[in-house]
Amino acid sequence: MLFPLLVLLAITNILRAAPITFNTALAVGKGEYVLREQLVVNQSGQDPSALDRDRSETALVTALGYGLSSKWAVFAALPYRYIDLDLEINEQPVGQHSSGIGDLSLFARYTAYQWDAAAQTMRIAPFVGIKAPTGEYKAHDNLGRLPPPAQLGTGSWDPFTGVVLTYQTLQYQFDSQLSYRINNKAEGFEAGDIARLDGSLQYRLYPRILSGGTPGFLYGVLEMNLIHQDKNEVGGVEDDNSGGTRLFVTPGIQYVTRRWILETAIQLPVKQNLNGQALENDYILRAGFRINF
């Protein structure tokens, strides 16, 4: 949930439309900051097992980016999470809950290729980072230790890397990202590694014709997210009821001004090819803002 939120968009002295669920290659201006707050509601309730599991999470993710130079930028993101996991054990309803700070993610991005022409630009930027175990991962309730889906953190240091491409014109912008995260073991549990391929088109809906004095711009956004996760391991043994591949289609909208952006989108699963009795996603709702300063 957090990883797609980490890269923020800023060009020197101006903000532009950008992907809502993942990365962009456009630069952060040297010496400038971008602050992003995003509320993420992740609902999963289609349970093929007899446990009747229902997992909902609401997270407020704070992300900050800083431009070191015209090519280098660094980022940090930290979520505050509330997780609610309901299920049935021996036909008795059981509720497990946790709330607090999640895992901190840090990464750096480098603009490796830049092409500029009249009213258009393209960037290609690789990035590399690490997720630090700042969230609680040993929480207990009256039933014992919470299962991994109800923990705030993973307890492991998890590296990730990828590359993003951005092509922008005055009318629209296209972004694509390829990324991979290695999830390591902690306390006998190892989540499956995650590979993802993302695409986003942002198209200016208003004003249709550019003119002086327009205070802001309205963009329609359409994204696709293809996400594959390997099986989890518990005690060194693969969990056959975990991992798989999900494809999301994500419609959204953005209102963009010179210094701030308002945005919202909903990720809708159109295909879920999961292993065994893995819990399916219902939707992921995102809403937030960005400020450049």
Side-chain angles (χ1 to χ4, degrees), residues 23-39:
N23 201 337
T24 180
L26 291 174
V28 177
K30 181 180 178 181
E32 292 198 342
Y33 294 89
V34 179
L35 173 68
R36 183 178 192 177
E37 295 283 347
Q38 194 172 76
L39 181 70

mmCIF file with all atom_site columns, all heavy atoms in Angstrom, residues 23-39:
data_model
loop_
_atom_site.group_PDB
_atom_site.id
_atom_site.type_symbol
_atom_site.label_atom_id
_atom_site.label_alt_id
_atom_site.label_comp_id
_atom_site.label_asym_id
_atom_site.label_entity_id
_atom_site.label_seq_id
_atom_site.pdbx_PDB_ins_code
_atom_site.Cartn_x
_atom_site.Cartn_y
_atom_site.Cartn_z
_atom_site.occupancy
_atom_site.B_iso_or_equiv
_atom_site.pdbx_formal_charge
_atom_site.auth_seq_id
_atom_site.auth_comp_id
_atom_site.auth_asym_id
_atom_site.auth_atom_id
_atom_site.pdbx_PDB_model_num
ATOM 1   N N   . ASN A 1 23 ? 4.906  6.246  -9.007  1.00 0.00 ? 23 ASN A N   1
ATOM 2   C CA  . ASN A 1 23 ? 6.041  7.115  -9.191  1.00 0.00 ? 23 ASN A CA  1
ATOM 3   C C   . ASN A 1 23 ? 5.900  8.050  -10.390 1.00 0.00 ? 23 ASN A C   1
ATOM 4   O O   . ASN A 1 23 ? 5.088  7.817  -11.274 1.00 0.00 ? 23 ASN A O   1
ATOM 5   C CB  . ASN A 1 23 ? 7.257  6.201  -9.407  1.00 0.00 ? 23 ASN A CB  1
ATOM 6   C CG  . ASN A 1 23 ? 8.566  6.850  -9.134  1.00 0.00 ? 23 ASN A CG  1
ATOM 7   O OD1 . ASN A 1 23 ? 8.685  8.055  -9.187  1.00 0.00 ? 23 ASN A OD1 1
ATOM 8   N ND2 . ASN A 1 23 ? 9.555  6.034  -8.842  1.00 0.00 ? 23 ASN A ND2 1
ATOM 9   N N   . THR A 1 24 ? 6.722  9.089  -10.421 1.00 0.00 ? 24 THR A N   1
ATOM 10  C CA  . THR A 1 24 ? 6.901  9.922  -11.604 1.00 0.00 ? 24 THR A CA  1
ATOM 11  C C   . THR A 1 24 ? 8.383  10.222 -11.757 1.00 0.00 ? 24 THR A C   1
ATOM 12  O O   . THR A 1 24 ? 9.135  10.176 -10.788 1.00 0.00 ? 24 THR A O   1
ATOM 13  C CB  . THR A 1 24 ? 6.113  11.240 -11.501 1.00 0.00 ? 24 THR A CB  1
ATOM 14  O OG1 . THR A 1 24 ? 6.333  12.008 -12.696 1.00 0.00 ? 24 THR A OG1 1
ATOM 15  C CG2 . THR A 1 24 ? 6.560  12.066 -10.314 1.00 0.00 ? 24 THR A CG2 1
ATOM 16  N N   . ALA A 1 25 ? 8.816  10.526 -12.980 1.00 0.00 ? 25 ALA A N   1
ATOM 17  C CA  . ALA A 1 25 ? 10.228 10.814 -13.217 1.00 0.00 ? 25 ALA A CA  1
ATOM 18  C C   . ALA A 1 25 ? 10.531 12.305 -13.274 1.00 0.00 ? 25 ALA A C   1
ATOM 19  O O   . ALA A 1 25 ? 11.687 12.690 -13.404 1.00 0.00 ? 25 ALA A O   1
ATOM 20  C CB  . ALA A 1 25 ? 10.692 10.158 -14.522 1.00 0.00 ? 25 ALA A CB  1
ATOM 21  N N   . LEU A 1 26 ? 9.509  13.168 -13.197 1.00 0.00 ? 26 LEU A N   1
ATOM 22  C CA  . LEU A 1 26 ? 9.759  14.599 -13.237 1.00 0.00 ? 26 LEU A CA  1
ATOM 23  C C   . LEU A 1 26 ? 10.533 15.049 -12.009 1.00 0.00 ? 26 LEU A C   1
ATOM 24  O O   . LEU A 1 26 ? 10.341 14.537 -10.902 1.00 0.00 ? 26 LEU A O   1
ATOM 25  C CB  . LEU A 1 26 ? 8.446  15.364 -13.354 1.00 0.00 ? 26 LEU A CB  1
ATOM 26  C CG  . LEU A 1 26 ? 7.730  15.192 -14.700 1.00 0.00 ? 26 LEU A CG  1
ATOM 27  C CD1 . LEU A 1 26 ? 6.372  15.861 -14.662 1.00 0.00 ? 26 LEU A CD1 1
ATOM 28  C CD2 . LEU A 1 26 ? 8.568  15.750 -15.840 1.00 0.00 ? 26 LEU A CD2 1
ATOM 29  N N   . ALA A 1 27 ? 11.398 16.029 -12.194 1.00 0.00 ? 27 ALA A N   1
ATOM 30  C CA  . ALA A 1 27 ? 12.370 16.387 -11.166 1.00 0.00 ? 27 ALA A CA  1
ATOM 31  C C   . ALA A 1 27 ? 11.764 17.190 -10.029 1.00 0.00 ? 27 ALA A C   1
ATOM 32  O O   . ALA A 1 27 ? 10.771 17.891 -10.193 1.00 0.00 ? 27 ALA A O   1
ATOM 33  C CB  . ALA A 1 27 ? 13.509 17.194 -11.800 1.00 0.00 ? 27 ALA A CB  1
ATOM 34  N N   . VAL A 1 28 ? 12.386 17.082 -8.859  1.00 0.00 ? 28 VAL A N   1
ATOM 35  C CA  . VAL A 1 28 ? 12.141 17.994 -7.755  1.00 0.00 ? 28 VAL A CA  1
ATOM 36  C C   . VAL A 1 28 ? 13.182 19.107 -7.854  1.00 0.00 ? 28 VAL A C   1
ATOM 37  O O   . VAL A 1 28 ? 14.374 18.843 -7.986  1.00 0.00 ? 28 VAL A O   1
ATOM 38  C CB  . VAL A 1 28 ? 12.262 17.271 -6.397  1.00 0.00 ? 28 VAL A CB  1
ATOM 39  C CG1 . VAL A 1 28 ? 12.080 18.255 -5.258  1.00 0.00 ? 28 VAL A CG1 1
ATOM 40  C CG2 . VAL A 1 28 ? 11.254 16.153 -6.308  1.00 0.00 ? 28 VAL A CG2 1
ATOM 41  N N   . GLY A 1 29 ? 12.750 20.371 -7.819  1.00 0.00 ? 29 GLY A N   1
ATOM 42  C CA  . GLY A 1 29 ? 13.659 21.483 -7.972  1.00 0.00 ? 29 GLY A CA  1
ATOM 43  C C   . GLY A 1 29 ? 14.732 21.508 -6.898  1.00 0.00 ? 29 GLY A C   1
ATOM 44  O O   . GLY A 1 29 ? 14.481 21.182 -5.732  1.00 0.00 ? 29 GLY A O   1
ATOM 45  N N   . LYS A 1 30 ? 15.932 21.888 -7.267  1.00 0.00 ? 30 LYS A N   1
ATOM 46  C CA  . LYS A 1 30 ? 17.044 21.953 -6.316  1.00 0.00 ? 30 LYS A CA  1
ATOM 47  C C   . LYS A 1 30 ? 16.696 22.875 -5.150  1.00 0.00 ? 30 LYS A C   1
ATOM 48  O O   . LYS A 1 30 ? 16.260 23.997 -5.325  1.00 0.00 ? 30 LYS A O   1
ATOM 49  C CB  . LYS A 1 30 ? 18.298 22.460 -7.024  1.00 0.00 ? 30 LYS A CB  1
ATOM 50  C CG  . LYS A 1 30 ? 19.514 22.547 -6.109  1.00 0.00 ? 30 LYS A CG  1
ATOM 51  C CD  . LYS A 1 30 ? 20.738 23.045 -6.853  1.00 0.00 ? 30 LYS A CD  1
ATOM 52  C CE  . LYS A 1 30 ? 21.927 23.164 -5.914  1.00 0.00 ? 30 LYS A CE  1
ATOM 53  N NZ  . LYS A 1 30 ? 23.138 23.662 -6.613  1.00 0.00 ? 30 LYS A NZ  1
ATOM 54  N N   . GLY A 1 31 ? 16.894 22.368 -3.938  1.00 0.00 ? 31 GLY A N   1
ATOM 55  C CA  . GLY A 1 31 ? 16.627 23.152 -2.745  1.00 0.00 ? 31 GLY A CA  1
ATOM 56  C C   . GLY A 1 31 ? 15.154 23.270 -2.392  1.00 0.00 ? 31 GLY A C   1
ATOM 57  O O   . GLY A 1 31 ? 14.812 23.987 -1.449  1.00 0.00 ? 31 GLY A O   1
ATOM 58  N N   . GLU A 1 32 ? 14.272 22.560 -3.107  1.00 0.00 ? 32 GLU A N   1
ATOM 59  C CA  . GLU A 1 32 ? 12.840 22.642 -2.846  1.00 0.00 ? 32 GLU A CA  1
ATOM 60  C C   . GLU A 1 32 ? 12.328 21.374 -2.170  1.00 0.00 ? 32 GLU A C   1
ATOM 61  O O   . GLU A 1 32 ? 12.928 20.304 -2.262  1.00 0.00 ? 32 GLU A O   1
ATOM 62  C CB  . GLU A 1 32 ? 12.068 22.866 -4.147  1.00 0.00 ? 32 GLU A CB  1
ATOM 63  C CG  . GLU A 1 32 ? 12.311 24.226 -4.759  1.00 0.00 ? 32 GLU A CG  1
ATOM 64  C CD  . GLU A 1 32 ? 11.237 24.576 -5.762  1.00 0.00 ? 32 GLU A CD  1
ATOM 65  O OE1 . GLU A 1 32 ? 10.527 23.662 -6.220  1.00 0.00 ? 32 GLU A OE1 1
ATOM 66  O OE2 . GLU A 1 32 ? 11.098 25.759 -6.082  1.00 0.00 ? 32 GLU A OE2 1
ATOM 67  N N   . TYR A 1 33 ? 11.196 21.535 -1.472  1.00 0.00 ? 33 TYR A N   1
ATOM 68  C CA  . TYR A 1 33 ? 10.521 20.425 -0.803  1.00 0.00 ? 33 TYR A CA  1
ATOM 69  C C   . TYR A 1 33 ? 9.156  20.198 -1.436  1.00 0.00 ? 33 TYR A C   1
ATOM 70  O O   . TYR A 1 33 ? 8.538  21.127 -1.950  1.00 0.00 ? 33 TYR A O   1
ATOM 71  C CB  . TYR A 1 33 ? 10.315 20.727 0.684   1.00 0.00 ? 33 TYR A CB  1
ATOM 72  C CG  . TYR A 1 33 ? 11.576 20.834 1.492   1.00 0.00 ? 33 TYR A CG  1
ATOM 73  C CD1 . TYR A 1 33 ? 12.238 22.053 1.633   1.00 0.00 ? 33 TYR A CD1 1
ATOM 74  C CD2 . TYR A 1 33 ? 12.098 19.710 2.144   1.00 0.00 ? 33 TYR A CD2 1
ATOM 75  C CE1 . TYR A 1 33 ? 13.384 22.156 2.397   1.00 0.00 ? 33 TYR A CE1 1
ATOM 76  C CE2 . TYR A 1 33 ? 13.252 19.807 2.913   1.00 0.00 ? 33 TYR A CE2 1
ATOM 77  C CZ  . TYR A 1 33 ? 13.885 21.027 3.038   1.00 0.00 ? 33 TYR A CZ  1
ATOM 78  O OH  . TYR A 1 33 ? 15.027 21.140 3.785   1.00 0.00 ? 33 TYR A OH  1
ATOM 79  N N   . VAL A 1 34 ? 8.703  18.960 -1.338  1.00 0.00 ? 34 VAL A N   1
ATOM 80  C CA  . VAL A 1 34 ? 7.321  18.637 -1.656  1.00 0.00 ? 34 VAL A CA  1
ATOM 81  C C   . VAL A 1 34 ? 6.769  17.802 -0.507  1.00 0.00 ? 34 VAL A C   1
ATOM 82  O O   . VAL A 1 34 ? 7.356  16.784 -0.125  1.00 0.00 ? 34 VAL A O   1
ATOM 83  C CB  . VAL A 1 34 ? 7.193  17.860 -2.975  1.00 0.00 ? 34 VAL A CB  1
ATOM 84  C CG1 . VAL A 1 34 ? 5.731  17.526 -3.252  1.00 0.00 ? 34 VAL A CG1 1
ATOM 85  C CG2 . VAL A 1 34 ? 7.762  18.658 -4.119  1.00 0.00 ? 34 VAL A CG2 1
ATOM 86  N N   . LEU A 1 35 ? 5.655  18.249 0.059   1.00 0.00 ? 35 LEU A N   1
ATOM 87  C CA  . LEU A 1 35 ? 4.978  17.519 1.120   1.00 0.00 ? 35 LEU A CA  1
ATOM 88  C C   . LEU A 1 35 ? 3.714  16.900 0.550   1.00 0.00 ? 35 LEU A C   1
ATOM 89  O O   . LEU A 1 35 ? 2.937  17.581 -0.129  1.00 0.00 ? 35 LEU A O   1
ATOM 90  C CB  . LEU A 1 35 ? 4.620  18.452 2.273   1.00 0.00 ? 35 LEU A CB  1
ATOM 91  C CG  . LEU A 1 35 ? 3.746  17.842 3.383   1.00 0.00 ? 35 LEU A CG  1
ATOM 92  C CD1 . LEU A 1 35 ? 4.522  16.776 4.142   1.00 0.00 ? 35 LEU A CD1 1
ATOM 93  C CD2 . LEU A 1 35 ? 3.235  18.935 4.315   1.00 0.00 ? 35 LEU A CD2 1
ATOM 94  N N   . ARG A 1 36 ? 3.515  15.637 0.849   1.00 0.00 ? 36 ARG A N   1
ATOM 95  C CA  . ARG A 1 36 ? 2.306  14.954 0.377   1.00 0.00 ? 36 ARG A CA  1
ATOM 96  C C   . ARG A 1 36 ? 1.622  14.240 1.545   1.00 0.00 ? 36 ARG A C   1
ATOM 97  O O   . ARG A 1 36 ? 2.279  13.545 2.327   1.00 0.00 ? 36 ARG A O   1
ATOM 98  C CB  . ARG A 1 36 ? 2.643  13.930 -0.696  1.00 0.00 ? 36 ARG A CB  1
ATOM 99  C CG  . ARG A 1 36 ? 1.416  13.229 -1.296  1.00 0.00 ? 36 ARG A CG  1
ATOM 100 C CD  . ARG A 1 36 ? 1.830  12.259 -2.382  1.00 0.00 ? 36 ARG A CD  1
ATOM 101 N NE  . ARG A 1 36 ? 0.682  11.801 -3.157  1.00 0.00 ? 36 ARG A NE  1
ATOM 102 C CZ  . ARG A 1 36 ? 0.786  10.991 -4.217  1.00 0.00 ? 36 ARG A CZ  1
ATOM 103 N NH1 . ARG A 1 36 ? 1.967  10.565 -4.603  1.00 0.00 ? 36 ARG A NH1 1
ATOM 104 N NH2 . ARG A 1 36 ? -0.286 10.613 -4.881  1.00 0.00 ? 36 ARG A NH2 1
ATOM 105 N N   . GLU A 1 37 ? 0.319  14.453 1.655   1.00 0.00 ? 37 GLU A N   1
ATOM 106 C CA  . GLU A 1 37 ? -0.501 13.722 2.615   1.00 0.00 ? 37 GLU A CA  1
ATOM 107 C C   . GLU A 1 37 ? -1.556 12.957 1.823   1.00 0.00 ? 37 GLU A C   1
ATOM 108 O O   . GLU A 1 37 ? -2.231 13.528 0.970   1.00 0.00 ? 37 GLU A O   1
ATOM 109 C CB  . GLU A 1 37 ? -1.196 14.674 3.591   1.00 0.00 ? 37 GLU A CB  1
ATOM 110 C CG  . GLU A 1 37 ? -0.251 15.429 4.504   1.00 0.00 ? 37 GLU A CG  1
ATOM 111 C CD  . GLU A 1 37 ? 0.282  14.577 5.641   1.00 0.00 ? 37 GLU A CD  1
ATOM 112 O OE1 . GLU A 1 37 ? -0.268 13.469 5.863   1.00 0.00 ? 37 GLU A OE1 1
ATOM 113 O OE2 . GLU A 1 37 ? 1.246  15.010 6.305   1.00 0.00 ? 37 GLU A OE2 1
ATOM 114 N N   . GLN A 1 38 ? -1.661 11.671 2.125   1.00 0.00 ? 38 GLN A N   1
ATOM 115 C CA  . GLN A 1 38 ? -2.649 10.866 1.423   1.00 0.00 ? 38 GLN A CA  1
ATOM 116 C C   . GLN A 1 38 ? -3.334 9.903  2.391   1.00 0.00 ? 38 GLN A C   1
ATOM 117 O O   . GLN A 1 38 ? -2.679 9.196  3.161   1.00 0.00 ? 38 GLN A O   1
ATOM 118 C CB  . GLN A 1 38 ? -2.023 10.072 0.275   1.00 0.00 ? 38 GLN A CB  1
ATOM 119 C CG  . GLN A 1 38 ? -3.058 9.493  -0.675  1.00 0.00 ? 38 GLN A CG  1
ATOM 120 C CD  . GLN A 1 38 ? -2.441 8.882  -1.914  1.00 0.00 ? 38 GLN A CD  1
ATOM 121 O OE1 . GLN A 1 38 ? -1.900 7.790  -1.845  1.00 0.00 ? 38 GLN A OE1 1
ATOM 122 N NE2 . GLN A 1 38 ? -2.536 9.581  -3.042  1.00 0.00 ? 38 GLN A NE2 1
ATOM 123 N N   . LEU A 1 39 ? -4.659 9.906  2.341   1.00 0.00 ? 39 LEU A N   1
ATOM 124 C CA  . LEU A 1 39 ? -5.476 8.971  3.103   1.00 0.00 ? 39 LEU A CA  1
ATOM 125 C C   . LEU A 1 39 ? -5.769 7.769  2.213   1.00 0.00 ? 39 LEU A C   1
ATOM 126 O O   . LEU A 1 39 ? -6.254 7.924  1.086   1.00 0.00 ? 39 LEU A O   1
ATOM 127 C CB  . LEU A 1 39 ? -6.779 9.637  3.539   1.00 0.00 ? 39 LEU A CB  1
ATOM 128 C CG  . LEU A 1 39 ? -7.732 8.772  4.370   1.00 0.00 ? 39 LEU A CG  1
ATOM 129 C CD1 . LEU A 1 39 ? -7.152 8.529  5.757   1.00 0.00 ? 39 LEU A CD1 1
ATOM 130 C CD2 . LEU A 1 39 ? -9.099 9.437  4.473   1.00 0.00 ? 39 LEU A CD2 1
#
